[in-house]
Amino acid sequence: MSTDADAEAEGTARGRGGRRGSWIVPVTAIVMGGVFLAIYLGHHDIGMAVAGLVVMLGYAVVLVFGSRRSEALSLLRGQSSDERGRSIEQRASSVTLHVLVMVLVGGFIVSTVRGHGQDTWANLCAVAGGVYILSTIVLTRRG
C-alpha cells in the first residue's frame, strides 16, 4: 500500500533524476550541437560545423542508449535518484573543480612567463576562487 509520502518521494526522485530530468542533458547536447553548427557556418568553416554537430549528437545518443546499461552514463545523463549516485556526482564535481583550478593557475603562470594574455587567466582564476569561497560560506550557513 502506497502512501502520500511515497508518491511525493517518487515524484521528487523522478524530477531530479527520473524520466523527466533525464532528458535535460541530451537535449542540451543537441541544442549545443546546433549552436556549434550555426557559429562555424557563420565563420564559413563547414568541416568544424559538421564535426561539432556530429560530436554533440553522438554524445546525446551515447547517453540515451548507453544509460540503460551503464551506471556512469546514467549519471552523466542526469539520472541520480539515490544517495550513492548523488555522492558520486559530488565527488566527481569536487575532482573536476580541483583539476580545473590547477589548469587555470597553470595557464596563468605560463601566460605570465610568456608576457601576454594573463588577464584572461587571472579573471578566470578569480571567478573560480570567488565562487568556491562564496558557495562554501553559503553552504555552511544553510546547514
Side-chain angles (χ1 to χ4, degrees):
M1 182 170 167
S2 149
T3 65
D4 289 336
D6 291 338
E8 184 177 331
E10 182 180 331
T12 302
R14 195 178 302 131
R16 274 213 75 200
R19 294 184 192 273
R20 277 187 244 145
S22 65
W23 285 99
I24 292 172
V25 176
V27 168
T28 302
I30 293 167
V31 169
M32 290 307 299
V35 169
F36 292 151
L37 179 72
I39 289 171
Y40 285 113
L41 285 178
H43 289 284
H44 307 290
D45 191 345
I46 296 172
M48 283 300 293
V50 172
L53 178 63
V54 168
V55 166
M56 296 310 289
L57 290 176
Y59 181 64
V61 167
V62 166
L63 288 181
V64 169
F65 293 107
S67 64
R68 297 175 186 158
R69 297 182 184 260
S70 168
E71 181 183 20
L73 290 176
S74 177
L75 290 172
L76 289 171
R77 184 177 174 180
Q79 296 174 319
S80 61
S81 59
D82 65 350
E83 189 64 33
R84 181 173 178 276
R86 286 188 290 274
S87 174
I88 291 169
E89 285 181 330
Q90 286 178 340
R91 290 183 298 176
S93 295
S94 179
V95 169
T96 301
L97 170 70
H98 287 91
V99 170
L100 182 56
V101 166
M102 293 304 296
V103 168
L104 291 174
V105 171
F108 173 73
I109 291 169
V110 168
S111 64
T112 301
V113 169
R114 289 184 174 175
H116 57 84
Q118 62 266 29
D119 290 347
T120 300
W121 292 102
N123 290 333
L124 291 171
C125 288
V127 169
V131 168
Y132 184 77
I133 290 167
L134 183 62
S135 63
T136 299
I137 291 168
V138 169
L139 292 171
T140 56
R141 293 180 187 252
R142 283 186 50 205

